[in-house]
Amino acid sequence: MGKLTIAIDGHASTGKSSIAKKLAKSLGYLYINSGSMYRAVTLYAIENNLLELIDLDINKFIKKLKENKIYFKKNENKSISEIYLNKKNIENEIKSLRVSQKVSLIAAVPEIRKEMVKLQRNIDRTKGVVMDGRDIGSVVFPDADIKLFLTASPDIRAKRRHNEMINDGETVNFEDVLENILVRDDLDTTRKDSPLIIEKDAVVIDNSYLSIEDQLAKILALINQKIKL
Ligand code: DC
């Protein structure tokens, strides 16, 4: 068997990107965070005052969007791919609160999803790829060799996220973080276009009580099983 396509979907704040990054590194595969592409579109819309245009004239917005280049380039020091918008590394900017607050709305627009899925499918898969998101196994790569669905209890996800934020020096209260996670789960699973679903052939991993190392071992075992088939 050649190099695999590995799709990782799941609920918000389940550590998808941490696992996906580690997995890609250990396999020597390309890692693509599809959420960062929706975040790049959001940043572009905010910086160019185009949020209103999305509601008013989506075709005009898409036309403008296509004049820009969203792509990934490997950071040789970290040996991980990072996202660029028109030659500018936006890896940090896309994680800002102003982007996080708007991205779910942007990711629900079908015309925008169509463009992002095109870009995602254009990615070279010949050297193996791990892609994480919400619709990778269902829409982007229904032919993926391995489909994983990560989940964990909302309370545990909120505790992890809350700790992260406190460590980053943010002042937030736990209830607000939990509320945000529940709202995001609701938006992701109830939107009309490409909602988050568990594919029939996906392996569900509830990582409420699993360390990253435990999960990695579990996933590598699945991959070995697959390669032997
Ligand atoms: O994983 P994330 O929080 O960076 O994702 C940002 C937003 O994009 C979030 O609202 C979910 C959405 N998303 C999506 O709809 N489809 C994907 N394949 C990836 C992310």
Side-chain angles (χ1 to χ4, degrees):
M1 193 157 200
K3 305 285 184 186
L4 308 178
T5 297
I6 302 174
I8 305 186
D9 293 299
H11 290 119
S13 291
T14 44
K16 293 185 291 296
S17 58
S18 306
I19 296 291
K21 254 185 234 170
K22 275 193 188 285
L23 185 62
K25 223 175 197 168
S26 75
L27 296 168
Y29 282 14
L30 177 66
Y31 163 60
I32 299 290
N33 179 334
S34 67
S36 62
M37 300 170 81
Y38 292 97
R39 288 175 180 267
V41 176
T42 309
L43 180 68
Y44 166 73
I46 294 173
E47 285 192 332
N48 295 282
N49 291 319
L50 295 172
L51 284 172
E52 268 185 20
L53 186 62
I54 295 177
D55 283 336
L56 294 175
D57 189 344
I58 184 64
N59 293 328
K60 195 164 169 191
F61 176 79
I62 296 290
K63 205 165 158 236
K64 281 184 180 289
L65 180 65
K66 282 180 169 171
E67 289 161 11
N68 298 273
K69 218 168 167 253
I70 294 171
Y71 58 98
F72 290 87
K73 206 168 95 185
K74 194 167 178 182
N75 174 331
E76 296 298 342
N77 291 331
K78 293 186 189 162
S79 81
I80 206 86
S81 55
E82 294 184 331
I83 192 155
Y84 284 72
L85 174 65
N86 302 327
K87 298 192 178 151
K88 187 176 170 218
N89 184 321
I90 52 165
E91 194 65 27
N92 288 327
E93 269 178 280
I94 56 165
K95 290 177 190 140
S96 65
L97 193 63
R98 64 182 185 142
V99 171
S100 300
Q101 281 169 339
K102 295 273 184 267
V103 66
S104 296
L105 298 171
I106 300 266
V109 179
E111 290 85 349
I112 293 175
R113 299 200 69 82
K114 202 172 130 208
E115 291 308 313
M116 293 304 107
V117 170
K118 258 194 241 167
L119 292 179
Q120 289 152 10
R121 288 188 180 148
N122 268 339
I123 281 160
D124 179 15
R125 289 198 273 161
T126 54
K127 295 190 182 83
V129 65
V130 181
M131 192 180 287
D132 72 339
R134 305 292 193 287
D135 62 341
I136 309 307
S138 55
V139 175
V140 181
F141 299 137
D143 64 340
D145 302 289
I146 305 251
K147 295 182 188 177
L148 304 169
F149 187 99
L150 297 193
T151 188
S153 80
D155 214 53
I156 286 179
R157 285 187 276 146
K159 270 188 199 131
R160 289 178 188 156
R161 185 83 194 99
H162 185 240
N163 281 341
E164 255 173 36
M165 293 169 109
I166 299 286
N167 286 337
D168 286 346
E170 290 182 53
T171 37
V172 278
N173 74 55
F174 175 77
E175 277 68 32
D176 289 343
V177 177
L178 178 61
E179 170 71 16
N180 178 259
I181 282 181
L182 294 173
V183 168
R184 288 205 288 155
D185 281 354
D186 187 52
L187 285 171
D188 288 344
T189 51
T190 59
R191 71 167 174 236
K192 284 210 175 69
D193 188 358
S194 318
L196 175 66
I197 52 162
I198 305 179
E199 283 284 280
K200 277 200 198 76
D201 51 348
V203 175
V204 178
I205 298 179
D206 182 332
N207 64 21
S208 299
Y209 302 102
L210 292 178
S211 67
I212 292 208
E213 288 70 30
D214 291 340
Q215 294 173 68
L216 200 60
K218 210 176 157 96
I219 298 168
L220 286 172
L222 273 171
I223 292 172
N224 280 330
Q225 216 177 21
K226 183 89 190 174
I227 288 173
K228 274 192 218 131
L229 288 179

